[in-house]
Amino acid sequence: MNRKKGIIVLITLMLAGFSGCGSSGSSSVGGGGNSVFVKEGSGQGESVPVNGNGEPSVGWGKSEGSGNTGTSTEERFPGRANAETGEGISKKLSIGDVAPDFLVELSGGGTFRMSEHDDEIVLINFWATWCGPCVGEMPAFERLKDLGYSDVSILAINSGEGKSVVDSFVRSEGYTFPIGYDEFRKVGYYYPSDGIPYTIVVDHGIVQRIFLGSKGADAQYELYKDAIEECRK
């Protein structure tokens, strides 16, 4: 009995530190990759990143040959999934996977094509204005952008909301880091997750770190900064 109580306490402590928004109003637990536990009917919940073995931590590790080889992105990543063209298979990403290509229009003008940033580090965040934890961590991205990394791009992709909603939010908050539209979730289809905020760090086209949920702007800033610095080594 004491052992069972100990396990329950451990699980409770694991769940206490992370919050996130579910992609739907029903309970969901992902297999492999990351898992998020969502309170049924609320769209709000607590998330715990787990690795492929079900351990309560995000994976980490550069795949062999992930740096720039001097070849074109097509040669480096043959058969790469592409959200713009609909090519390739949609699957939950894991450490070491090639990040699917995509093209998004940016709030304020311009576009962002993932394959054009394969020679640098890219932090991609999926969010929505209705998601409290998403909005709460956004100052972390502004702080990271202000660090002025020449080899890092930051992109926050809005999931499923209209351009007017996104633009109004950006104007009211005054954010200056790139924010993209994914009104019909074409990009999100190739970057599936069990909830948002969902953030991945990609180094030279290869997924290196995965985050699901948020502990708040200050904590996430430190986590994202550490992940970026590790990639830059």
Side-chain angles (χ1 to χ4, degrees):
M1 181 63 69
N2 290 336
R3 182 180 179 183
K4 290 182 179 179
K5 289 182 178 179
I7 294 174
I8 292 172
V9 170
L10 176 60
I11 294 174
T12 302
L13 290 173
M14 288 164 54
L15 291 175
F18 251 74
S19 63
C21 301
S23 56
S24 66
S26 61
S27 299
S28 62
V29 179
N34 300 307
S35 296
V36 58
F37 297 84
V38 183
K39 295 178 181 178
E40 187 169 356
S42 67
Q44 302 288 329
E46 298 176 328
S47 61
V48 180
V50 298
N51 60 24
N53 298 320
E55 298 167 343
S57 62
V58 291
W60 176 262
K62 294 188 178 182
S63 63
E64 188 174 350
S66 63
N68 181 12
T69 62
T71 58
S72 68
T73 186
E74 291 81 6
E75 293 174 310
R76 289 163 58 192
F77 306 129
R80 183 181 196 174
N82 190 318
E84 182 185 6
T85 63
E87 298 174 342
I89 299 173
S90 169
K91 71 181 188 69
K92 189 175 294 185
L93 296 174
S94 300
I95 305 305
D97 284 344
V98 177
D101 199 6
F102 60 82
L103 175 70
V104 292
E105 183 181 350
L106 299 177
S107 177
T111 60
F112 186 104
R113 186 183 296 276
M114 180 63 197
S115 56
E116 293 178 352
H117 298 265
D118 282 344
D119 291 331
E120 60 186 36
I121 300 161
V122 183
L123 185 152
I124 309 170
N125 167 260
F126 291 87
W127 69 285
T129 62
W130 50 261
C131 171
C134 299
V135 174
E137 74 168 352
M138 280 199 154
F141 303 128
E142 191 73 14
R143 291 176 64 187
L144 290 169
K145 177 253 182 185
D146 288 344
L147 291 176
Y149 290 120
S150 62
D151 56 347
V152 177
S153 288
I154 297 169
L155 174 66
I157 301 178
N158 179 270
S159 299
E161 297 182 286
K163 293 180 180 179
S164 61
V165 174
V166 178
D167 290 344
S168 176
F169 174 84
V170 173
R171 285 194 300 269
S172 65
E173 299 298 327
Y175 291 129
T176 60
F177 57 88
I179 294 177
Y181 309 116
D182 190 23
E183 184 173 0
F184 302 104
R185 295 189 173 93
K186 289 178 61 177
V187 179
Y189 176 76
Y190 281 88
Y191 286 79
S193 71
D194 293 312
I196 54 175
Y198 174 61
T199 304
I200 66 173
V201 178
V202 180
D203 185 8
H204 288 79
I206 304 297
V207 176
Q208 297 296 337
R209 195 78 186 252
I210 299 173
F211 300 88
L212 182 60
S214 173
K215 295 181 178 180
D218 291 341
Q220 295 305 122
Y221 169 77
E222 296 297 336
L223 289 170
Y224 298 148
K225 184 173 182 291
D226 287 347
I228 290 170
E229 292 293 349
E230 187 66 25
C231 289
R232 300 183 78 219
K233 291 181 180 178

